[in-house]
Amino acid sequence: MKIFSVQQIKKWDQYTIQHEPISSIDLMERAAMACSHWISNQFTENNHFVIFCGNGNNGGDGLAIARLLIENGYQVKVYLIEQKKASEDFSINLNRLHTISDGIYFLESAEYFPDLKNTIVIDALFGTGLNKTPSGLIAQLIHYINKNAQKIISIDIPSGLFADQPTPLSAVVKANFTLTFQCVKKAFLLRESAEYVGKLIVLPIGLSEEYEKTIQTNLELIDAKTIREIYRPRDPFSHKGNFGYACLIVGSYGMMGAAVLASKACMRSGVGKLQTFIPQCGYEILQSTAPEVMCTIFGKTFIENIKSDFKFDALGIGPGIGQHSSHQNLLESIFSEWNQPLVIDADALNTISQSPKLLDRIPPQSILTPHPKEFESLFGKTASNFEMIELALQKSKEFQIYIVLKGHFTFISTPEGKGFFNSTGNPGMATAGSGDVLTGILTGLMAQQYTPLQACILGVYLHGLAGDAAIQDMGEEALIAEDIINYLGRAFREISNDFIFNDH
């Protein structure tokens, strides 16, 4: 799913109006009908609604929703705050609402704020066009709503939140639900604004498919459609040689668990066979816990003095290797000997952050998988998640690498300057070893001849989908990294079933 900027969304509306053709007021009605239908499915007529409207088009949406809810038997009161000259569609919907309701009030000061006890508030004060922080009476109203409303439904975007840039969070509606139109907005995917969005509901309103297909964006949300374009089902006559030979450089004394997790995940990703380079201290551990994996010993308690012809289809390094002074030379040697894309994680990233000159030595198209602290050590601090993803995009272009910035809505930046947010995963996956699992998956997919970009997209989606399947049985708190591995099969089955259903 493409993530459009505010200006692109505005042009999308205009394109639809011109080419469907449809009037702007009828397009607003279509959006209001989608919202009222969702609300009617969630709440009974016993619920009381208070709708706060500005007098722009977001307020027009609120007025139309009020009329539709009233026509369906709901008790609704509408409160208006004048912010600027009213839009034409707002005025039309206000006149329509006046014909069926006397419950329309203008708020001139805080003393007239309504009692919100046992009410559901619908927030239609500001839309995505907001570019300055609410102040004065409107800021007071937003704080009042947040403090007193039983539940809050924001229309298109929580009022006070900027869609495309960092928001001064002094006055932002804290919604329980956000009903947004047609596509996800950038702000919804970033940590500092997510708590204001609540549960996100994307409502299609029939905007032009032609515009969506032809207009390019540099940001996308990975969804099932994206995965169908990447995933390759197996040929019945295939054998293990068709699915690649991977190598993982992993483990050290006291951290062989990371090696085990990465290795098991790599095998579960569908790779044909896996060779691991491990220290002697981990030999019995890995051979007994992952018998499908081949092991070669380099070093006693940590990996050193690797000698190999590196005749593999993919290489991953980092999980559990520890931090040792000799690892700088180890990485320099591997980058020189391998000289093709590889997956770099964990202590390999820490080694690079301690020796920044290694960044220039990383083979082009390689995949780095930092969590936010590792990213900060590699590339510097940022003031917000908006700035962090912009920095990731910049560094991907500068060093010609893929950066998988792990977290909720894991973000992938590419050498071409594009970014992808993942749509799967849950807070239960914030557990030790989860990143090692991802490294194994990515390495396995690379060995199966997925391109680095395809491996990143499919890998993070599978990783999150397996975590989502796991919490259905055990909840978020009890999830451990090995559970993600154990549910990879279910994730693959869901993807393959979706592929078959949609493409055959």
Side-chain angles (χ1 to χ4, degrees):
M1 177 190 290
K2 293 179 179 178
I3 300 172
F4 290 104
S5 68
V6 170
Q7 287 302 315
Q8 287 175 321
I9 293 170
K10 186 176 180 180
K11 290 178 181 178
W12 197 0
D13 286 344
Q14 293 169 347
Y15 187 94
T16 303
I17 290 167
Q18 293 169 4
H19 291 81
E20 188 169 334
I22 184 174
S23 67
S24 61
I25 189 66
D26 288 338
L27 186 59
M28 183 176 286
E29 186 75 3
R30 190 185 289 174
M33 289 178 67
C35 291
S36 63
H37 180 73
W38 183 89
I39 293 168
S40 298
N41 285 334
Q42 301 296 317
F43 303 99
T44 69
E45 289 86 348
N46 295 326
N47 294 110
H48 293 197
F49 290 88
V50 170
I51 304 182
F52 292 101
C53 299
N55 55 359
N57 282 342
N58 192 249
D61 291 332
L63 294 173
I65 292 166
R67 171 172 46 80
L68 293 169
L69 289 177
I70 291 169
E71 290 173 349
N72 283 306
Y74 289 90
Q75 298 184 55
V76 180
K77 291 182 179 180
V78 175
Y79 291 84
L80 308 178
I81 291 189
E82 186 174 353
Q83 303 155 18
K84 57 184 178 180
K85 184 178 179 181
S87 72
E88 181 179 353
D89 290 342
F90 172 91
S91 299
I92 292 171
N93 271 316
L94 181 58
N95 290 333
R96 289 177 178 177
L97 183 61
H98 270 303
T99 64
I100 65 168
S101 175
D102 294 326
I104 305 170
Y105 309 91
F106 285 87
L107 291 175
E108 297 181 353
S109 67
E111 63 184 297
Y112 296 109
F113 288 170
D115 182 6
L116 299 182
K117 186 178 181 181
N118 299 322
T119 64
I120 297 170
V121 166
I122 296 178
D123 155 39
L125 290 168
F126 295 111
T128 55
L130 182 70
N131 56 17
K132 62 180 182 179
T133 304
S135 59
L137 183 62
I138 299 174
Q140 293 179 53
L141 176 60
I142 287 173
H143 292 306
Y144 180 80
I145 291 170
N146 288 342
K147 183 178 180 180
N148 295 285
Q150 175 188 353
K151 276 189 172 60
I152 304 171
I153 303 170
S154 285
I155 305 303
D156 206 18
I157 190 169
S159 291
L161 190 66
F162 298 165
D164 290 344
Q165 57 185 308
T167 304
L169 300 175
S170 55
V172 180
V173 170
K174 196 169 186 178
N176 299 100
F177 304 95
T178 296
L179 310 185
T180 199
F181 302 131
Q182 202 71 36
C183 67
V184 171
K185 281 64 177 178
K186 184 177 178 181
F188 299 165
L189 304 171
L190 301 179
R191 181 176 182 177
E192 60 259 37
S193 49
E195 66 174 301
Y196 297 91
V197 177
K199 184 174 182 180
L200 178 65
I201 312 295
V202 180
L203 299 175
I205 58 171
L207 295 184
S208 169
E209 292 183 5
E210 182 181 355
Y211 180 94
E212 184 179 15
K213 290 176 182 177
T214 57
I215 299 302
Q216 296 300 311
T217 65
N218 73 323
L219 296 177
E220 293 189 27
L221 180 69
I222 302 167
D223 56 15
K225 181 181 178 183
T226 315
I227 298 304
R228 284 197 301 273
E229 295 171 353
I230 294 174
Y231 172 70
R232 299 194 299 264
R234 293 196 166 195
D235 187 304
F237 293 94
S238 56
H239 56 83
K240 70 179 181 181
N242 298 122
F243 301 114
Y245 185 14
C247 176
L248 286 171
I249 303 174
V250 287
S252 62
Y253 182 80
M255 292 193 287
M256 284 307 298
V260 172
L261 291 169
S263 299
K264 284 186 173 182
C266 188
M267 293 303 300
R268 289 287 187 191
S269 75
V271 73
K273 57 181 179 177
L274 171 62
Q275 174 75 60
T276 57
F277 292 171
I278 58 172
Q280 186 175 12
C281 65
Y283 181 79
E284 292 183 359
I285 295 172
L286 190 55
Q287 289 280 262
S288 61
T289 55
E292 304 89 351
V293 178
M294 297 177 289
C295 301
T296 301
I297 302 303
F298 293 103
K300 292 184 177 181
T301 59
F302 61 90
I303 295 168
E304 54 184 339
N305 301 322
I306 288 178
K307 295 180 181 179
S308 172
D309 56 14
F310 287 101
K311 291 183 178 179
F312 308 108
D313 296 305
L315 179 66
I317 183 170
I321 65 172
Q323 298 186 50
H324 303 276
S325 58
S326 61
H327 282 355
Q328 179 179 340
N329 291 332
L330 174 68
L331 287 179
E332 287 180 345
S333 174
I334 289 170
F335 293 166
S336 176
E337 292 288 334
W338 180 246
N339 199 29
Q340 55 184 299
L342 72 160
V343 182
I344 307 171
D345 184 33
D347 283 326
L349 295 176
N350 291 328
T351 300
I352 294 171
S353 67
Q354 293 162 13
S355 306
K357 66 180 181 179
L358 286 171
L359 279 168
D360 291 315
R361 301 287 304 278
I362 296 172
Q365 307 295 303
S366 290
I367 301 170
L368 278 63
T369 62
H371 56 58
K373 285 294 184 183
E374 290 168 339
F375 180 88
E376 181 180 295
S377 296
L378 284 165
F379 302 117
K381 292 185 177 182
T382 54
S384 69
N385 280 9
F386 276 91
E387 290 187 11
M388 187 177 288
I389 66 169
E390 289 303 317
L391 183 59
L393 290 167
Q394 174 191 327
K395 294 300 181 181
S396 282
K397 291 178 71 173
E398 179 181 347
F399 295 107
Q400 289 296 292
I401 55 176
Y402 294 88
I403 298 174
V404 177
L405 184 53
K406 295 180 291 194
H408 191 44
F409 299 120
T410 288
F411 180 70
I412 302 164
S413 58
T414 77
E416 296 75 31
K418 287 204 66 170
F420 297 83
F421 289 94
N422 187 37
S423 61
T424 59
N426 60 80
M429 298 174 70
T431 184
S434 180
D436 304 320
V437 172
L438 179 60
T439 296
I441 294 171
L442 293 172
T443 306
L445 293 174
M446 289 273 282
Q448 294 170 69
Q449 301 304 309
Y450 285 99
T451 68
L453 177 59
Q454 290 171 337
C456 287
I457 292 173
L458 181 57
V460 299
Y461 189 87
L462 276 168
H463 185 250
L465 195 61
D468 290 340
I471 66 166
Q472 298 303 313
D473 290 338
M474 61 191 60
E476 292 179 349
E477 291 79 5
L479 184 71
I480 59 174
E482 191 167 16
D483 297 325
I484 302 171
I485 300 170
N486 293 336
Y487 281 83
L488 270 173
R490 189 178 298 184
F492 268 113
R493 190 167 62 223
E494 183 172 331
I495 287 174
S496 60
N497 287 343
D498 184 65
F499 181 90
I500 294 169
F501 178 79
N502 283 280
D503 290 277
H504 296 281

